[in-house]
Amino acid sequence: YSLAPVDGLLDGDQARNFFMQSKLPLRDLSRIWSLADFDEDGCLSLPEFLIAMHLIQARRKDASMELPETTPDGLLPRQLKPDDIPPIPEVDMKAYTAAFQKLDTASTGLLSGTVAKAILKRSCLPVTKLAQVWSLADIDLDGQLSNEEFALSMHLMRFLRKGFMLPNSIDGHAI
């Protein structure tokens, strides 16, 4: 979208300026913000922005519509459970391995945190989501990614881009 999000997130000022164009009362826009910012980080990710836009459009179409007390379940991204994440398909694993080998220029079998971070940031996902991917993928907590951990991080980002919310932990079967 053309609002120039930073690290995949719109801050409150950017969103407010855009939402004010709807001409809805500030009270309604404030309520919509509360409903859309479901992770309460003070910024809107793309799925949160879409929730806000849905509610703004619905309110503009029907001024008598009451805004809900909580975000309707149908609008929230689906929260994945640890066993909801399927193993990485073989074709994807081959592609991730090929990418890993190109990035592992020293042939150490590990990507440094700096190299891995640069690759993860290319996804344009919010930094908070990338931090969650890192915490789930860096299985041995060494601050580096092995081939399998790199593949897992790519696999998890695919779910985020599809609008899912990642679980707080995962089972080892995803690799």
Side-chain angles (χ1 to χ4, degrees), residues 39 78-85 128-129 131-139 141 152 156 160 164-172:
D39 60 6
R78 183 170 154 235
Q79 173 74 50
L80 294 174
K81 296 178 183 139
D83 56 348
D84 286 341
I85 299 175
T128 55
K129 300 297 181 191
Q132 185 182 21
V133 166
W134 184 272
S135 70
L136 292 170
D138 185 16
I139 296 168
L141 305 174
L152 180 58
L156 294 173
L160 286 172
F164 292 101
M165 292 174 56
L166 296 178
N168 293 327
S169 64
I170 56 173
D171 298 332

Side-chain angles (χ1 to χ4, degrees), residues 21-40:
Q21 295 174 32
S22 71
K23 307 226 185 304
L24 288 177
L26 197 53
R27 172 185 86 257
D28 289 351
L29 293 175
S30 176
R31 180 80 192 119
I32 287 169
W33 176 273
S34 296
L35 292 166
D37 185 21
F38 56 82
D39 60 6
E40 299 177 350

Side-chain angles (χ1 to χ4, degrees), residues 4 13-14 19 22 29 35 53 56 74 93-94 135 157 170 174:
D13 290 335
Q14 291 172 300
F19 295 158
S22 71
L29 293 175
L35 292 166
M53 291 306 300
I56 287 169
M93 189 64 186
K94 286 180 181 178
S135 70
M157 287 191 304
I170 56 173

